[in-house]
């Protein structure tokens, strides 16, 4: 390959797959249908295929007796996929998403303003982490510029959101640009530091 030749990149993400155990399979399928507002387009003895847009399926959940759950006390330090993030168009959509999920028993464990995005994180029944986010800047270049600032270097994690007061502000029609601006709280170099939601596993 010539040194100047551009490497081929994907045009989009096609789908992702999750392994689970037979006893968790139905709960996992229901959770993801509710979380993504999806529909099950195919079910067989081993798998459920879920669609929520124009793709034939965006995820597949596979069950098998050979699959093993990661023990809860090991998951925070497990070398595995950390989380997967999905983008919504506005804070109004994020607020509506929160209320729809809450009505179905799905609550975020971490609402946070990262600076470049406003996000809500959720655990599925197996403990896999999913993020619903809204971009806080109009362009990727603006977000990257923020991520290069001393403020972001001091706090690359974010500022936790008190969900009910945030929800009231969004529903009141407050300017989303104001709501998206991250407060300055000083140093935060881990989820556990300067947090109203996270406790270190040994402190929990």
């Amino acid at each position: 390959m010539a040194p100047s030749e551009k490497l081929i990149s994907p045009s989009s993400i096609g789908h992702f797959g999750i392994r689970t155990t037979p006893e968790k399979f139905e709960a996992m399928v229901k959770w993801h249908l509710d979380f993504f507002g999806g529909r099950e387009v195919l079910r067989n003895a081993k798998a459920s295929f879920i669609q929520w847009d124009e793709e034939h399926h965006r995820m597949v959940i596979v069950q098998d007796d050979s699959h093993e759950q990661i023990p809860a006390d090991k998951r925070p330090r497990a070398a595995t996929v950390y989380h997967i993030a999905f983008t919504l168009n506005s804070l109004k959509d994020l607020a509506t998403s929160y209320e729809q999920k809450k009505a179905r028993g799905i609550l975020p464990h971490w609402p946070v303003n990262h600076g470049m995005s406003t996000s809500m994180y959720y655990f599925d029944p197996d403990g896999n982490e999913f993020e619903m986010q809204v971009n806080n800047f109009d362009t990727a270049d603006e977000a990257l510029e923020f991520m290069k600032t001393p403020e972001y270097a001091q706090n690359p994690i974010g500022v936790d959101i008190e969900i009910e007061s945030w929800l009231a502000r969004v529903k009141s029609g407050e300017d989303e640009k104001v709501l998206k601006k991250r407060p300055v709280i000083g140093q935060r170099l881990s989820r556990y530091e300067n947090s109203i939601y996270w406790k270190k596993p040994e402190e929990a």
Side-chain angles (χ1 to χ4, degrees), residues 5-16:
E5 185 178 353
K6 184 185 183 304
L7 296 175
I8 294 294
S9 300
S11 59
S12 65
I13 295 175
H15 66 269
F16 64 97

Side-chain angles (χ1 to χ4, degrees), residues 48-49 108 123:
S48 170
F49 295 80
F123 286 128

Side-chain angles (χ1 to χ4, degrees), residues 48-94:
S48 170
F49 295 80
I50 295 173
Q51 176 194 59
W52 59 79
D53 58 14
E54 73 284 349
E55 188 71 8
H56 44 77
H57 73 286
R58 282 296 181 194
M59 73 174 298
V60 58
I61 302 173
V62 180
Q63 64 165 332
D64 194 88
D65 288 332
S66 67
H67 296 164
E68 296 180 6
Q69 296 287 331
I70 300 173
D73 62 334
K74 303 241 189 273
R75 184 170 281 277
R77 296 182 177 87
T80 184
V81 174
Y82 180 22
H83 66 270
I84 304 174
F86 297 85
T87 302
L88 298 174
N89 292 326
S90 67
L91 295 184
K92 182 179 179 182
D93 285 350
L94 186 62

